[in-house]
Amino acid sequence: MFEVRELDLAGRIGRIKTNHGIVETPAFLPVIHPANQSIPARDIRAMGFTTVMTNSYITFRRHGGDAIEKGIHSIIEFDGPIMTDSGGYQILEYGKVSIGPLEIARYQEDIGSDFSNVLDTPTGVGGSRRQSEESVKKTLESCRITMEGLGQDRKSLWIGPVQGGKYLDLVTSSARHLSSMPFDMFALGSPTEIMERYDFTLLAQMIISAKKALPVDKPLHLFGLGHPLPLAMAVALGCDTFDSASYILYARAGRYITETGTRRIQDLEYLPCVCRVCSEISPRQLNELEADQRENKIAIHNLYMLKREIEATKQALREGRLWEYIGSKARAHPNLWAAFEELAKNSHSFEVFTPSFKSRGLMLSSYPDHLRPEIMRTHERVVSYLSGRQRRPLLILPEGRVRPFVYGKAYEMASSAFEIPFIIGYISVPVGFVPGEISDVYPYSQIVITPALQSDPRVMDQFIKVLTIQLRSLAPSMTFLVRDGQLDDSVYDLLKTLLEPKFMISGDEYILESTLERIKKILDD
Amino acid sequence: MFEVRELDLAGRIGRIKTNHGIVETPAFLPVIHPANQSIPARDIRAMGFTTVMTNSYITFRRHGGDAIEKGIHSIIEFDGPIMTDSGGYQILEYGKVSIGPLEIARYQEDIGSDFSNVLDTPTGVGGSRRQSEESVKKTLESCRITMEGLGQDRKSLWIGPVQGGKYLDLVTSSARHLSSMPFDMFALGSPTEIMERYDFTLLAQMIISAKKALPVDKPLHLFGLGHPLPLAMAVALGCDTFDSASYILYARAGRYITETGTRRIQDLEYLPCVCRVCSEISPRQLNELEADQRENKIAIHNLYMLKREIEATKQALREGRLWEYIGSKARAHPNLWAAFEELAKNSHSFEVFTPSFKSRGLMLSSYPDHLRPEIMRTHERVVSYLSGRQRRPLLILPEGRVRPFVYGKAYEMASSAFEIPFIIGYISVPVGFVPGEISDVYPYSQIVITPALQSDPRVMDQFIKVLTIQLRSLAPSMTFLVRDGQLDDSVYDLLKTLLEPKFMISGDEYILESTLERIKKILDD
């Protein structure tokens, strides 16, 4: 039911099959009010949103049995896939709702929801540990009642709600419990408050904690993310669908979404957007419209911004450039940047998903780009490559300009010069030692890096550690080193200590032929 | 003739008065071919481009005297301000043109150009030092002939072309010579080749070198910048207008502009744009159009991307957030990031332009944000504040949570506790020592910084240097220090060495009242 087509970091482009057609993910689902919707669903569809979210509890209160007769698709006049929320948000807001979990579950089935949600008890961010435990427990109980009550014969796709809030161990255990139930999909609640506080690091930690325990082959919904700022990061961490009413709520408050945050419309002298609305109106004209006209236009613009963000994220993901994309967005706010560094620290958990080959250059601009999974992966790969090749003589050459190194003249000459098997390679920041034979493997020849990052002390620290592990595991019988001016003196000091090279000569002066002759002589002695 | 309305870094929002109306800068001028234009000028105007560029030399060759009779505005059917290029680009491409500088200058006046360019000899990037010197000399000679020939009675605004290419001293001396001539505006040539190489650091250095020698009250045009990637940075460095035919040249090659670079249209599965074109077509449909239809649609999209970039840059500039904006864009490519670091190194040269008050938070995400002019400026400000207050007792308190510090209870109590004048303040990374009395001055209370940046070794290095200078210049008669857990141990070590504090107590344990009592006692003794 969920087919994954492309992967990058923990993000994916996928397809979910529903009763009303395919949902391509990542997808943003605009929230449509079942009784009081200001932007017609057909307009939202025309903007390219194939799927929407509406609230089954409000539908139940406003339309009751009528909705069962007509179906939710006819009530909100939308013929694509519809996800329904359950009233859990109303529990968070008002403390309780006047319906039981099984009743609202059956109602969602009966009105023809394509994706249905269990009546959960959201964990508020302000809650104590004990309250949060309670909300997880109540939610799991609600899930049990719902799934057992519905039985095998479900028409809708059912979503298991992960709770736990800021208590990350609760998030993980909540996710673990849900994983054993027959859900088609999962959802993480309720980041709205966290989003309002711009606590993107906590948001990242919550997603990482949930993903750890959830099955990778099922989609994950994130409730209430309605801003372009953290959306791509949430995708990179493994969220597949999103919903929010922010586009209309912001519009009502005269707030205009930009890529770097919302602005009060009266604070804008320029409209940094070229959507249908913004290319036909000036900020002043927009500001002077009647309230409902203004709300309508800002809401449409806001939806376009979300649409743009989803499309840009998908294209970046498809190009294997999701890291670059979220790194660029992260610079818009220190809190988002902090979350990006948090994601970088968890880079190892993305290694399995990140493609092992990408057709584009690997862009390393600044800290923490050296922690990308594509780079981290090289460290161990070299150790495992070297593990069968220990105690051979080692020749370290300058990296040179030819890429890959293995196609260069130096490698060719050196590798054919000796009768006994040599390890021949070069050293490069941040990857460490690169054996010539695997230098054509991605990403060695595709790395584009700033000199400033190569000399960043934190990058050097990691590089020195990695290089030490690699060379220790190689334990060459003897070492010959052509000293390359590209590397820091500290690297040569390390090499001297680790390897006691037979000789080190400067890369500027050396002539490969005579170097090889000298090595042969030493080998003969 | 050039009125500056807003400043940020070396960027400005300004207005240039021309014979055909006001040009608000920064402005992008789409190039319109005077005989073979595929997108009608009225469509370009309708998209919001108020000013365009066309080529007077091609006009001369194709239309000759006709254009004098009709006027260039009627030839290209555009009634807004028009800038004409002179044929210099044709010299760069073909080696020479069949017209003299004064002849083409008079022709530009006669056809009614609003902005006219001298027939220059562009410095190719590949040229030797000698060739580059020659091009600067020839261009200056051409300028002299033109301006002397035209005399006082000029109808058009005249632009002085800065040459010199990669030889930065030539750029500066070229700019210096031009500054003494009666130009209304200046232009920097010819970055097209540099742009193609993505050598954004060289581009930044060239602009910085030119700006150094040019009068600040005149606009600077940058030839041939037609990509959203480096545009905001060029604005931040002080360029006011831009022109390029890239939108159509890219379109002809099937290349679609995105914010992070161009893409071949067949490589796009998603369109990361919501402009009129992109919101009505899928990438596949776009790709399958007839060649001229496709070119037209991509060209319109490309123009919208440039339009969006200009508007976003202007809004960021107006908000005093140009640094944040270019930092975010810079992450899109390591070469642009390297240029951003180059700009940061030259931060001191922007101090004079950057507003001394901004209503928004100062966002410090990662290296090199601590080099922002708003931060650099604080360093000297404190030294100058302290210069009249030397040899007083100094009390360093924890920063606390109240912002500004001067409004906090701790400052209030401490400042009223003593009869003799005390210096009371706190220490914070990256700004150094902050005297309480000026803690309500921008930006002390508006700084939003990531913990990771505060502990970045390069930031700490600068901070330690600054703090040393500040405290040495203060030379307090004695020091009392409440040790705040927020700061690194190395800071306290430094304070011990520099100040020999009478006592240091831990911020966790201290009670302000008793601390003040203890200080009084020491003072009494």
Side-chain angles (χ1 to χ4, degrees):
Chain A
M1 148 276 171
F2 182 50
E3 177 206 341
V4 172
R5 298 175 64 207
E6 309 260 1
L7 288 166
D8 195 20
L9 303 176
R12 55 255 187 118
I13 292 178
R15 284 156 163 267
I16 307 174
K17 226 167 135 178
T18 78
N19 297 332
H20 287 80
I22 300 288
V23 180
E24 190 177 82
T25 66
F28 176 79
L29 284 53
V31 168
I32 301 230
H33 197 284
N36 177 27
Q37 170 63 15
S38 43
I39 309 219
R42 65 175 172 280
D43 291 0
I44 287 178
R45 172 136 217 182
M47 290 166 80
F49 295 98
T50 60
T51 313
V52 297
M53 176 78 148
T54 195
N55 189 303
S56 67
Y57 177 67
I58 299 174
T59 305
F60 172 76
R61 301 266 298 196
R62 298 287 185 98
H63 300 278
D66 259 20
I68 297 177
E69 217 160 284
K70 289 190 190 165
I72 188 68
H73 290 81
S74 134
I75 294 275
I76 65 168
E77 299 181 321
F78 189 84
D79 60 1
I82 295 176
M83 183 184 288
T84 44
D85 203 350
S86 57
Y89 186 71
Q90 280 66 29
I91 293 186
L92 184 66
E93 291 278 293
Y94 310 114
K96 58 173 186 155
V97 291
S98 57
I99 196 166
L102 190 54
E103 197 182 351
I104 193 70
R106 290 218 167 103
Y107 187 74
Q108 290 178 76
E109 289 265 305
D110 290 344
I111 61 177
S113 270
D114 298 289
F115 298 92
S116 300
N117 276 285
V118 172
L119 183 64
D120 56 351
T121 302
T123 312
V125 174
S128 67
R129 166 105 198 163
R130 198 156 152 193
Q131 288 167 322
S132 304
E133 279 170 357
E134 195 59 28
S135 78
V136 169
K137 215 175 112 188
K138 273 193 188 160
T139 298
L140 285 174
E141 178 58 15
S142 196
C143 288
R144 196 192 52 74
I145 294 169
T146 303
M147 297 312 273
E148 283 179 16
L150 291 174
Q152 294 294 320
D153 193 25
R154 300 184 304 266
K155 287 169 285 179
S156 182
L157 297 173
W158 277 90
I159 302 175
V162 178
Q163 295 296 345
K166 67 187 168 198
Y167 302 99
L168 302 178
D169 59 322
L170 291 186
V171 171
T172 302
S173 81
S174 164
R176 191 161 297 135
H177 279 102
L178 288 173
S179 300
S180 65
M181 300 186 186
F183 284 110
D184 305 294
M185 186 166 167
F186 299 91
L188 180 63
S190 304
T192 314
E193 288 173 90
I194 297 166
M195 301 274 302
E196 279 165 8
R197 295 182 190 188
Y198 270 43
D199 193 348
F200 301 122
T201 301
L202 179 56
L203 177 65
Q205 288 169 334
M206 284 172 63
I207 301 172
I208 292 168
S209 303
K211 287 294 285 188
K212 239 189 256 177
L214 290 173
V216 290
D217 60 345
K218 290 190 177 166
L220 177 61
H221 181 75
L222 186 61
F223 280 117
L225 191 153
H227 199 291
L229 207 50
L231 198 144
M233 193 186 71
V235 168
L237 291 168
C239 298
D240 302 291
T241 57
F242 306 89
D243 78 282
S244 175
S246 65
Y247 68 100
I248 191 77
L249 300 176
Y250 281 139
R252 215 160 279 162
R255 294 198 80 89
Y256 176 100
I257 293 180
T258 79
E259 280 174 57
T260 59
T262 61
R263 300 283 186 276
R264 294 189 312 164
I265 188 71
Q266 58 267 42
D267 291 342
L268 287 173
E269 185 113 350
Y270 308 98
L271 297 179
C273 177
V274 291
C275 79
R276 180 159 59 80
V277 170
C278 301
S279 59
E280 283 170 5
I281 202 165
S282 74
R284 179 164 307 173
Q285 289 168 333
L286 189 52
N287 202 20
E288 286 168 358
L289 289 174
E290 301 268 322
D292 58 339
Q293 270 282 320
R294 195 178 84 151
E295 178 187 316
N296 179 274
K297 287 207 184 286
I298 299 176
I300 291 172
H301 156 80
N302 287 349
L303 278 171
Y304 271 125
M305 288 304 287
L306 288 158
K307 169 81 174 128
R308 199 212 77 87
E309 192 56 29
I310 283 282
E311 299 299 308
T313 302
K314 280 158 93 171
Q315 182 61 28
L317 196 160
R318 196 168 168 270
E319 292 176 358
R321 300 188 74 231
L322 201 46
W323 181 283
E324 285 89 335
Y325 189 70
I326 60 177
S328 175
K329 298 214 70 92
R331 290 266 327 167
H333 195 284
N335 291 12
L336 196 59
W337 185 266
F340 178 53
E341 293 202 357
E342 179 70 23
L343 177 149
K345 277 183 217 149
N346 285 277
S347 177
H348 52 88
S349 58
F350 307 127
E351 271 180 54
V352 283
F353 305 113
T354 303
S356 54
F357 175 75
K358 293 180 172 183
S359 59
R360 293 182 160 264
L362 192 67
M363 306 288 202
L364 309 180
S365 291
S366 70
Y367 182 89
D369 290 344
H370 64 301
L371 300 177
R372 287 182 71 133
E374 297 92 336
I375 298 293
M376 302 302 278
R377 180 188 284 153
T378 65
H379 302 332
E380 286 190 21
R381 188 203 288 144
V382 168
V383 171
S384 98
Y385 172 86
L386 296 176
S387 71
R389 293 167 175 83
Q390 284 148 333
R391 297 183 211 296
R392 295 185 188 172
L394 167 66
L395 171 58
I396 300 174
L397 292 174
E399 182 172 355
R401 292 197 173 186
V402 177
R403 288 184 167 199
F405 177 80
V406 68
Y407 296 161
K409 186 123 190 121
Y411 181 79
E412 191 197 319
M413 284 176 61
S415 60
S416 60
F418 309 112
E419 281 162 25
I420 55 166
F422 250 76
I423 300 288
I424 304 163
Y426 65 93
I427 288 171
S428 186
V429 184
V431 287
F433 177 68
V434 183
E437 283 185 2
I438 60 167
S439 63
D440 56 345
V441 171
Y442 180 84
Y444 295 117
S445 305
Q446 279 87 354
I447 294 172
V448 183
I449 184 167
T450 54
L453 183 61
Q454 282 191 308
S455 63
D456 185 306
R458 292 163 298 182
V459 177
M460 279 300 284
D461 271 3
Q462 177 193 275
F463 161 76
I464 293 284
K465 264 182 217 148
V466 165
L467 188 62
T468 307
I469 293 170
Q470 291 172 335
L471 295 179
R472 279 221 177 105
S473 86
L474 179 60
S477 58
M478 60 184 92
T479 302
F480 306 93
L481 170 63
V482 179
R483 183 177 173 138
D484 179 356
Q486 296 301 307
L487 294 168
D488 197 83
D489 281 347
S490 62
V491 180
Y492 296 108
D493 292 344
L494 176 76
L495 293 174
K496 258 191 233 167
T497 319
L498 274 177
L499 301 173
E500 297 169 14
K502 285 285 179 185
F503 66 79
M504 280 168 78
I505 54 174
S506 158
D508 297 339
E509 300 156 16
Y510 99 113
I511 296 158
L512 186 59
E513 285 86 343
S514 58
T515 300
L516 295 176
E517 285 308 315
R518 280 174 66 189
I519 296 176
K520 275 187 199 160
K521 223 166 194 172
I522 294 172
L523 286 174
D524 287 345
D525 290 348
Chain B
M1 149 274 172
F2 182 51
E3 177 207 340
V4 172
R5 299 175 65 208
E6 310 260 3
L7 287 166
D8 195 21
L9 302 177
R12 55 254 187 119
I13 292 177
R15 286 157 161 266
I16 307 173
K17 224 166 134 180
T18 79
N19 296 332
H20 287 80
I22 300 288
V23 179
E24 190 178 81
T25 65
F28 177 80
L29 284 54
V31 168
I32 301 232
H33 197 284
N36 176 27
Q37 171 63 14
S38 43
I39 310 219
R42 66 174 171 279
D43 291 358
I44 286 178
R45 173 135 216 182
M47 291 167 77
F49 295 98
T50 59
T51 313
V52 297
M53 175 77 146
T54 194
N55 189 302
S56 68
Y57 177 66
I58 299 174
T59 305
F60 172 77
R61 301 266 298 198
R62 298 285 186 99
H63 302 276
D66 259 18
I68 298 177
E69 218 160 282
K70 288 190 190 166
I72 187 68
H73 290 81
S74 135
I75 293 274
I76 65 167
E77 298 182 320
F78 189 83
D79 60 2
I82 295 176
M83 183 184 288
T84 44
D85 202 351
S86 58
Y89 187 72
Q90 281 66 29
I91 292 185
L92 184 66
E93 291 278 292
Y94 311 114
K96 59 174 184 154
V97 292
S98 57
I99 195 167
L102 189 54
E103 197 183 349
I104 192 70
R106 292 218 166 102
Y107 186 75
Q108 290 178 77
E109 289 265 304
D110 291 343
I111 61 176
S113 267
D114 297 288
F115 298 91
S116 300
N117 276 286
V118 172
L119 183 65
D120 56 351
T121 303
T123 312
V125 174
S128 67
R129 168 107 198 161
R130 209 170 141 179
Q131 286 167 322
S132 304
E133 278 171 356
E134 194 61 28
S135 78
V136 169
K137 215 175 114 188
K138 274 192 188 161
T139 298
L140 286 173
E141 178 58 15
S142 195
C143 289
R144 196 192 52 75
I145 293 169
T146 303
M147 297 312 274
E148 284 181 15
L150 292 174
Q152 295 294 322
D153 192 25
R154 299 185 305 264
K155 287 169 286 179
S156 181
L157 298 172
W158 278 89
I159 303 174
V162 179
Q163 294 296 347
K166 67 187 169 199
Y167 302 98
L168 302 178
D169 60 320
L170 291 186
V171 171
T172 302
S173 80
S174 164
R176 192 161 295 135
H177 279 102
L178 288 174
S179 301
S180 64
M181 300 185 185
F183 285 110
D184 306 291
M185 187 167 168
F186 299 90
L188 180 62
S190 302
T192 313
E193 288 172 273
I194 297 166
M195 301 273 301
E196 280 165 7
R197 295 184 191 185
Y198 269 44
D199 193 347
F200 302 122
T201 300
L202 178 56
L203 177 65
Q205 288 168 334
M206 284 172 64
I207 300 172
I208 292 168
S209 303
K211 288 294 286 189
K212 238 189 254 176
L214 291 173
V216 290
D217 61 344
K218 290 189 177 166
L220 177 61
H221 181 75
L222 185 61
F223 281 117
L225 191 153
H227 198 291
L229 206 50
L231 197 144
M233 193 186 71
V235 168
L237 291 168
C239 297
D240 301 292
T241 57
F242 306 89
D243 78 282
S244 175
S246 65
Y247 69 99
I248 191 76
L249 299 177
Y250 281 139
R252 214 160 279 163
R255 293 198 80 90
Y256 176 101
I257 293 180
T258 79
E259 281 176 54
T260 59
T262 61
R263 300 284 185 277
R264 294 187 314 163
I265 188 69
Q266 57 268 42
D267 291 342
L268 287 174
E269 186 114 348
Y270 307 98
L271 298 178
C273 176
V274 291
C275 79
R276 178 158 60 79
V277 170
C278 300
S279 59
E280 283 169 7
I281 202 165
S282 73
R284 180 164 305 175
Q285 289 167 333
L286 189 52
N287 202 18
E288 285 168 358
L289 289 174
E290 302 268 321
D292 58 340
Q293 270 282 322
R294 195 178 85 149
E295 177 185 318
N296 180 275
K297 288 211 182 281
I298 299 177
I300 291 171
H301 156 80
N302 287 348
L303 278 170
Y304 269 124
M305 288 304 287
L306 288 158
K307 169 82 174 125
R308 200 212 76 88
E309 191 57 29
I310 283 283
E311 298 300 309
T313 302
K314 280 158 94 172
Q315 182 60 28
L317 195 160
R318 195 167 168 273
E319 292 176 358
R321 300 188 74 231
L322 201 46
W323 181 282
E324 285 90 335
Y325 189 69
I326 59 177
S328 175
K329 297 214 72 91
R331 290 267 326 169
H333 196 284
N335 290 13
L336 195 59
W337 185 266
F340 178 53
E341 294 202 358
E342 179 70 24
L343 177 148
K345 276 183 216 149
N346 285 277
S347 178
H348 52 87
S349 58
F350 307 127
E351 272 180 55
V352 283
F353 305 113
T354 303
S356 54
F357 175 76
K358 293 180 172 184
S359 59
R360 292 181 162 265
L362 193 65
M363 307 289 203
L364 310 180
S365 293
S366 71
Y367 183 91
D369 289 344
H370 64 300
L371 300 177
R372 287 182 70 131
E374 296 92 336
I375 299 292
M376 301 301 278
R377 180 190 284 150
T378 66
H379 303 330
E380 285 189 21
R381 188 204 287 142
V382 168
V383 170
S384 101
Y385 172 86
L386 295 175
S387 71
R389 292 166 175 82
Q390 283 148 335
R391 294 182 215 297
R392 295 185 189 172
L394 168 66
L395 171 58
I396 300 174
L397 292 173
E399 182 172 355
R401 290 196 176 188
V402 177
R403 289 184 164 199
F405 177 80
V406 69
Y407 296 160
K409 187 125 190 117
Y411 181 79
E412 191 197 319
M413 284 177 60
S415 61
S416 61
F418 310 110
E419 281 163 24
I420 55 167
F422 249 77
I423 299 288
I424 304 164
Y426 65 93
I427 288 172
S428 187
V429 184
V431 287
F433 177 68
V434 184
E437 284 185 3
I438 61 167
S439 64
D440 57 343
V441 170
Y442 179 83
Y444 295 117
S445 304
Q446 279 86 355
I447 294 173
V448 183
I449 184 168
T450 53
L453 183 61
Q454 282 191 308
S455 62
D456 185 305
R458 290 162 300 181
V459 176
M460 279 300 285
D461 270 3
Q462 178 192 273
F463 161 76
I464 292 283
K465 263 182 217 147
V466 165
L467 188 63
T468 307
I469 294 169
Q470 290 172 336
L471 295 178
R472 279 220 178 106
S473 87
L474 179 60
S477 59
M478 59 183 93
T479 303
F480 306 93
L481 170 63
V482 179
R483 183 177 172 136
D484 180 353
Q486 295 302 306
L487 294 168
D488 197 83
D489 281 348
S490 62
V491 180
Y492 296 107
D493 293 344
L494 177 75
L495 292 174
K496 258 191 234 169
T497 319
L498 273 177
L499 301 172
E500 295 168 16
K502 284 284 178 189
F503 65 78
M504 280 166 78
I505 53 174
S506 158
D508 297 339
E509 300 156 14
Y510 99 113
I511 295 159
L512 186 59
E513 286 86 341
S514 60
T515 300
L516 295 176
E517 284 310 314
R518 278 175 68 188
I519 296 175
K520 274 187 200 160
K521 225 170 194 172
I522 294 172
L523 286 174
D524 285 346
D525 291 348

